[in-house]
Amino acid sequence: MAPGPARAALTEFVLKVHARCDLACDHCYVYEHADQSWRRRPVRMTPEVLRAAAGRIAEHAAAHDLPDVTVILHGGEPLLLGAERLGEVLADLRRVIDPVTRLRLGMQTNGVLLSERLCDLLAEHGVAVGVSLDGDRAANDRHRRFRSGAGSYDQVLRALALLRRPAYRRIYSGLLCTVDVRNDPIAVYESLLAQEPPRIDFLLPHATWDDPPWRPASDGTAYADWLRAVYDRWRADGRPVSVRLFDSLLSTAAGGPSGTEWLGLDPVDLAVIETDGEWEQADSLKTAYDGAPATGMTVFSHPADDVAADPLLARRRSGRAGLSDECRRCPVVDQCGGGLFAHRYGAGHFDHPSVYCADLKELIVHVNENPPAPVRLDAGLPDDFIDRLAAPTGDRVAIGRLVEAQIAIVRALLAEVADRLPAGGAGADGWAALTALDRSAPESVARIAAHPYVRAWAVDCLTGTGTGTGARQGPDYLSAIAAAAALHAGTPVRLDVPVRSGRLHLPTVGTVLMPEVGDGAARVETGPGSLRLTAGDVTVAIHTGEPGDAPRWWPTRMLAAPDVSVLLEDGDPHRDCHRLPAGDRLDDTGAARWAETFASAWQVIRDEVPGHAEELRAGLRAVVPLRRSGAGVSEASTARQAFGGVAATETDAGSLAVLLVHEFQHSKMNALLDICDLVDGTRPIDITVGWRPDPRPAEAVLHGIYAHAAVADIWRIRADRQVDGAQAVYRRYRDWTAEAIGALQRADALTPAGSRLVRQVSRSMSGWPS
């Protein structure tokens, strides 16, 4: 029976927690445009409404098995809630939604009321803070004024100075600037850039065909001209910051997503909950007519699925089919997408192009004809991917894209290994089973392909250059991979799986000890949570869910904390690909000690660098215990062909936290180098750095910068907390990194993408204390 169409899911929710504002901006769509529903709504969202809203969001996330949802606190001005009530709101949202899915919290504010106390509260709950700023003093205070007529520029700059502090930098998500073509575009751009935002959003002022935007006389594309001037300067500067509008146009030009409802044909997945609990569509519709965003539903009476099915929202999710005939015929429709839905309104309907149609078309053509310096990003990755990986706040979604790219690489490597199999030879049945599983249970195959040491084996097998134990496995190991995937999928298979040195290993599952076989093969039959192995007169039955059937069964064990779980990989024969020797199988006491230390280290990472915790949760797959050297110092390593694997010696929790973050930075860099040219191979050069006595090639220096900046960040935070000796360690890593950045930039050995990455790391460090 064929499955029915998947129900549309909402993944972003805007909560109007406070319906009034302390500014009186004359371009505000909430108070100054057609919809005046704010007049009849409660000033604040009550606890009852908040709990009902949080419950509906959690219910929706559970029904659609959403990996995460985003909740944006909005208004009015959300900071008017005050610190006490805001803390209650954030705690309630986390209490209700976090047990169901990953909650990503954000806030859009004018910044006027931001204080250290509020920043501490927002940082505690991991709230990404966007601030509205229209440029320099003259540009900002043209519209963003108090009711007295006084400008807000000084108060906003004080807020941004707070967000740039090292303690709060990770919650600073960017600036929102509403375009006014009477302002000088370059002055606006430079003033925004001076605030060191992670991202800039340029928004066109809300307007419709019934209430068109202001334009200079006889200039039908004034907004395109203004934005084109900013784009050209941004492009000439080497794209020093992510600009959502330009990034979106560059992404859609390459066939990628727009990432915004302002452009492109991405389906809309956003709903608004007002202070009284009414479900509404996007706020921008308030500019169309009174009642335009209303749905007639509330969080008390209707689930989010009913909102997603609203006819107007359904039209906004319908892509090209929901556009006017004129838009559908337009050559740039895939990039423009008809513009913002609200801007299409006129004469009682939305069946028009955007009121900014001419501006959008001219800007799109200009961007397409004047692309920035090329950045090679494979696998359909967005143009701002470099910025997101360089952000000190961490980006779990970007790591997810790296994981996807790595799985694609491993699939290709497996196919290449299979191509070298002799017809009917050992491993051919495994490849056939694996390809069948990839059709029936692709997620199980992907799970095995994401294991770091599957790639390590494949590369060793193809090149014969492996120096670890993985080099001993041949192409017939494909059958072991297939059997592991079948176990995860719950699919029965019968395969001949290789036994090496008396051990039969199934990646991510465990090792069966068969010393009687030596080097040979065993017939493996998988069942629900079970294995039956036969080799000659030897038969072994294993229940994989049990802790161990000694002395035959060594299951792969886990390192777990409340919100993360990774493999304690002390059995995979291909784990010995690190530059340091892997340890032997741990006894139960040693494994328990590792589990305890990992759980404590994970709490340290969450407390000190939660952005890195987000990334590790998304990408770390396995920790390999290393054999301790005679020197007795803590050591760790990653391997070029084992993304997501970190090897480390047993140590204390604080040291392990640093090692995991440091080595995962190297792992990320390795994965990024798979899909993006960062170093100019035509300019080989060696550079002297502080952390090594011997000159290093540019790629190694880039690795060191990326890893040491993260380590310096940890020790900076520890120094702020007055941990003994932390200040000296922080300064050492900071100085090493800063000096290496300068040397690498002077060497001119990077591609535009590499330069962009280094520039973003340098910008992240610019606010750190000396």
Side-chain angles (χ1 to χ4, degrees):
M1 180 174 167
R7 291 176 296 158
L10 303 173
T11 62
E12 185 169 336
F13 300 86
V14 175
L15 295 192
K16 296 304 196 75
V17 292
H18 201 289
R20 302 296 185 268
C21 189
D22 45 355
L23 295 183
C25 308
D26 58 15
H27 56 16
C28 181
Y29 56 85
V30 175
Y31 308 110
E32 303 297 333
H33 283 255
D35 184 89
Q36 291 291 297
S37 59
W38 65 272
R39 296 179 182 277
R40 62 174 173 80
R41 299 194 193 280
V43 172
R44 293 183 174 202
M45 181 177 282
T46 65
E48 293 74 21
V49 171
L50 180 75
R51 286 193 291 270
R56 289 299 191 189
I57 294 168
E59 170 189 68
H60 190 68
H64 292 271
D65 196 24
L66 299 178
D68 57 63
V69 294
T70 298
V71 173
I72 307 295
L73 302 189
H74 212 282
E77 171 49 52
L79 292 183
L80 284 171
L81 281 178
E84 182 177 354
R85 178 60 188 141
L86 180 59
E88 293 170 352
V89 166
L90 295 171
D92 280 350
L93 289 169
R94 288 237 174 259
R95 177 180 57 79
V96 176
I97 300 172
D98 264 342
V100 177
T101 188
R102 187 72 184 163
L103 173 60
R104 305 178 74 85
L105 284 168
M107 172 185 287
Q108 188 62 41
T109 175
N110 59 37
V112 167
L113 296 176
L114 201 63
S115 64
E116 286 190 16
R117 182 184 178 192
L118 284 166
C119 282
D120 287 338
L121 178 64
L122 296 167
E124 176 188 350
H125 289 279
V127 182
V129 181
V131 178
S132 300
L133 178 69
D134 285 350
D136 55 17
R137 182 184 300 277
N140 184 77
D141 290 351
R142 184 188 293 275
H143 298 288
R144 299 191 185 275
R145 298 188 297 267
F146 293 93
R147 287 176 178 79
S148 66
S152 61
Y153 183 73
D154 290 333
Q155 290 89 335
V156 178
L157 256 60
R158 281 198 292 271
L160 295 174
L162 273 174
L163 290 174
R164 289 196 304 274
R165 287 186 187 178
Y168 309 129
R169 179 83 198 190
R170 65 183 175 85
I171 65 171
Y172 183 14
S173 68
L175 297 176
L176 183 152
C177 171
T178 300
V179 173
D180 189 318
V181 294
R182 289 166 290 193
N183 297 327
D184 179 84
I186 303 306
V188 167
Y189 165 76
E190 290 178 342
S191 63
L192 298 177
L193 201 63
Q195 301 306 316
E196 301 179 10
R199 180 189 290 261
I200 296 172
D201 253 349
F202 287 111
L203 304 184
L204 295 170
H206 286 307
T208 68
W209 290 101
D210 292 345
D211 185 16
W214 181 89
R215 294 180 183 276
S218 69
D219 189 347
T221 57
Y223 291 89
D225 298 341
W226 196 98
L227 289 166
R228 183 172 58 191
V230 176
Y231 173 79
D232 287 345
R233 172 62 183 275
W234 176 74
R235 174 176 171 267
D237 285 348
R239 294 179 285 171
V241 65
S242 173
V243 176
R244 190 190 301 270
L245 174 63
F246 302 150
D247 290 340
S248 176
L249 291 178
L250 293 167
S251 175
T252 52
S258 70
T260 172
E261 65 171 333
W262 282 74
L263 293 166
L265 297 171
D266 294 2
V268 175
D269 59 358
L270 174 148
V272 178
I273 303 174
E274 282 285 359
T275 53
D276 57 1
E278 289 191 32
W279 286 106
E280 288 204 338
Q281 297 190 64
D283 262 6
S284 55
L285 285 170
K286 292 180 182 295
T287 202
Y289 59 88
D290 198 20
T295 66
M297 305 179 226
T298 76
V299 293
F300 298 105
S301 60
H302 290 80
D305 272 353
D306 289 355
V307 181
D310 181 274
L312 200 58
L313 184 58
R315 178 178 176 181
R316 294 169 62 209
R317 300 175 67 91
S318 61
R320 189 182 285 104
L323 302 179
S324 66
D325 289 342
E326 182 178 347
C327 285
R328 287 196 294 267
R329 293 193 299 268
C330 180
V332 297
V333 63
D334 288 343
Q335 289 177 269
C336 172
L340 189 69
F341 189 77
H343 295 174
R344 306 175 207 166
Y345 183 76
H349 62 84
F350 293 90
D351 198 25
H352 299 283
S354 169
V355 72
Y356 291 103
C357 175
D359 298 282
L360 292 172
K361 184 179 294 185
E362 182 168 314
L363 178 63
I364 289 168
V365 170
H366 179 77
V367 169
N368 291 348
E369 291 178 348
N370 297 273
V375 176
R376 188 178 72 82
L377 287 174
D378 294 340
L381 297 173
D383 186 68
D384 66 346
F385 194 67
I386 294 290
D387 303 331
R388 291 160 61 181
L389 284 178
T393 52
D395 194 310
R396 183 178 60 84
V397 175
I399 301 303
R401 299 298 295 270
L402 281 183
V403 171
E404 292 171 2
Q406 286 296 305
I407 290 172
I409 290 169
V410 173
R411 287 177 184 273
L413 290 170
L414 294 177
E416 190 173 348
V417 171
D419 285 343
R420 301 189 183 188
L421 291 171
D429 58 342
W431 178 243
L434 197 60
T435 54
L437 283 165
D438 209 15
R439 291 190 294 270
S440 63
E443 68 286 350
S444 297
V445 176
R447 179 175 178 175
I448 304 301
H451 184 54
Y453 304 106
V454 170
R455 173 169 171 169
W457 158 77
V459 172
D460 285 353
C461 189
L462 291 167
T463 64
T465 58
T467 57
T469 57
R472 297 203 305 265
Q473 292 280 354
D476 52 352
Y477 190 66
L478 280 168
S479 295
I481 294 169
L487 271 171
H488 286 303
T491 301
V493 297
R494 299 177 71 226
L495 296 168
D496 290 328
V497 176
V499 180
R500 297 288 182 267
S501 300
R503 297 180 182 181
L504 184 151
H505 183 75
L506 302 182
T508 78
V509 178
T511 303
V512 182
L513 305 182
M514 304 184 74
E516 305 92 334
V517 179
D519 286 345
R523 170 59 58 93
V524 173
E525 301 174 58
T526 67
S530 66
L531 293 168
R532 183 178 177 85
L533 306 95
T534 305
D537 296 332
V538 179
T539 299
V540 180
I542 300 292
H543 295 284
T544 57
E546 295 180 0
D549 293 339
R552 294 285 192 181
W553 176 227
W554 285 352
T556 302
R557 294 168 292 200
M558 305 300 296
L559 299 173
D563 58 346
V564 69
S565 181
V566 302
L567 297 176
L568 175 61
E569 191 53 272
D570 59 354
D572 194 301
H574 313 104
R575 73 192 187 281
D576 210 4
C577 57
H578 297 271
R579 61 181 176 81
L580 300 170
D584 296 328
R585 169 83 175 183
L586 295 170
D587 59 23
D588 290 344
T589 300
R593 196 166 54 243
W594 259 97
E596 182 179 354
T597 304
F598 177 83
S600 299
W602 183 254
Q603 189 59 52
V604 172
I605 295 170
R606 287 192 59 181
D607 289 345
E608 295 182 341
V609 280
H612 286 286
E614 285 270 310
E615 294 191 336
L616 284 161
R617 188 183 296 111
L620 183 65
R621 291 290 183 272
V623 174
V624 173
L626 289 173
R627 189 175 300 132
R628 184 172 289 278
S629 68
V633 297
S634 298
E635 295 180 293
S637 175
T638 47
R640 177 67 183 88
Q641 306 296 345
F643 172 74
V646 170
T649 52
E650 188 175 352
T651 185
D652 62 273
S655 298
L656 181 60
V658 176
L659 293 176
L660 289 173
V661 171
H662 177 270
E663 295 304 329
F664 191 65
Q665 289 291 100
H666 283 301
S667 200
K668 286 161 54 183
M669 179 60 69
N670 285 331
L672 185 57
L673 287 165
D674 281 333
I675 58 176
C676 183
D677 291 326
L678 300 176
V679 176
D680 185 351
T682 67
R683 301 175 61 85
I685 190 169
D686 288 336
I687 299 169
T688 300
V689 292
W691 60 86
R692 287 286 293 261
D694 52 322
R696 307 293 292 156
E699 183 175 307
V701 176
L702 186 61
H703 259 280
I705 288 169
Y706 196 51
H708 289 145
V711 174
D713 199 20
I714 294 175
W715 286 103
R716 175 185 61 79
I717 291 165
R718 292 180 179 180
D720 286 344
R721 297 177 177 180
Q722 299 183 336
V723 174
D724 287 347
Q727 186 69 28
V729 181
Y730 158 65
R731 286 176 175 167
R732 180 166 71 250
Y733 277 94
R734 179 206 60 195
D735 292 348
W736 279 350
T737 307
E739 291 165 4
I741 287 173
L744 192 55
Q745 289 175 329
R746 289 190 297 273
D748 193 25
L750 300 176
T751 65
S755 295
R756 182 170 176 172
L757 177 71
V758 169
R759 187 166 55 246
Q760 290 296 93
V761 173
S762 180
R763 286 176 65 85
S764 298
M765 295 174 58
S766 62
W768 292 357
S770 58

